[in-house]
Amino acid sequence: MEINRVWSMPSANTFSIKAIGELIDKYKSGIIIDPFANSNKFATITNDLDPQYDTTYHMDALDFLKMFDDESVNTVLFDSPFSPRQVSECYKKLGMTVDHKTTQSSYWSKLKAEIGRIVKPGGYVITCSWNSGGIGKKYGFEIQEILMVAHGGWHNDTIVVVDKKI
């Protein structure tokens, strides 16, 4: 497993950070989906709950992932809100009700289970988070590479994990 560390200014648009964009380019192929696309255009099929973004769909991420057939996706870009606070802010901004269903850790587990179901063997998931857990062996993945993007000061690092479905 390869582990790299770079320095970068923080950005709300994680994929605009040069080192992260380069990592995505290294692994993306075939059908690429992004359930939390924001304004990113790396994926071939995009989704964002917020209708202000020009994405293919505007759905809850779990519903978006459930649309795909088993083992039908080559690459998933998984840059979900990092914390219950960020989920809450997103929902409130859109005038939606925030409840325990979308802020509990079980929500992320359900997302990971769907990702495990839809990614083809040999396919990749690129996860951006504040931890190095990635998708995990429980769902059939093995870590290939970790990129830690340090932002300095009191900003949390962004940890990018590349998992391969085995």
Side-chain angles (χ1 to χ4, degrees):
M1 170 182 26
E2 185 177 337
I3 300 176
N4 294 304
R5 182 176 187 200
V6 298
W7 293 92
S8 175
M9 292 298 297
S11 174
N13 189 345
T14 310
F15 297 157
S16 70
I17 296 170
K18 184 179 179 197
I20 296 174
E22 290 171 350
L23 184 72
I24 291 169
D25 282 338
K26 183 176 167 182
Y27 288 98
K28 70 179 189 175
S29 68
I31 298 172
I32 307 160
I33 68 167
D34 187 344
F36 300 94
N38 194 293
S39 60
N40 297 305
K41 299 296 181 194
F42 283 95
T44 53
I45 305 170
T46 56
N47 177 66
D48 199 282
L49 191 59
D50 191 336
Q52 79 168 318
Y53 296 111
D54 179 23
T55 56
T56 315
Y57 297 95
H58 298 285
M59 309 169 64
D60 176 82
L62 187 58
D63 294 333
F64 172 73
L65 293 170
K66 287 180 178 181
M67 292 184 351
F68 295 91
D69 293 333
D70 293 357
E71 299 183 349
S72 64
V73 174
N74 300 89
T75 308
V76 175
L77 305 178
F78 191 60
D79 183 23
S80 68
F82 292 170
S83 69
R85 178 192 55 81
Q86 289 178 329
V87 172
S88 180
E89 287 173 2
C90 176
Y91 273 60
K92 286 179 182 175
K93 179 179 117 182
L94 297 172
M96 299 173 71
T97 303
V98 180
D99 59 22
H100 71 281
K101 179 184 100 173
T102 53
T103 57
Q104 288 185 332
S105 60
S106 62
Y107 181 72
W108 281 274
S109 295
K110 290 175 185 173
L111 293 171
K112 288 180 179 186
E114 285 300 315
I115 289 170
R117 180 186 65 78
I118 66 174
V119 173
K120 294 178 179 181
Y124 294 96
V125 179
I126 302 171
T127 303
C128 298
S129 183
W130 290 336
N131 65 60
S132 60
I135 299 301
K137 288 185 179 187
K138 175 180 178 180
Y139 301 108
F141 290 86
E142 183 175 88
I143 295 175
Q144 301 295 296
E145 184 172 349
I146 295 175
L147 170 67
M148 185 173 76
V149 181
H151 302 299
W154 288 101
H155 295 282
N156 289 321
D157 296 341
T158 300
I159 301 172
V160 186
V161 176
V162 178
D163 281 308
K164 183 176 185 177
K165 188 163 186 187
I166 47 178

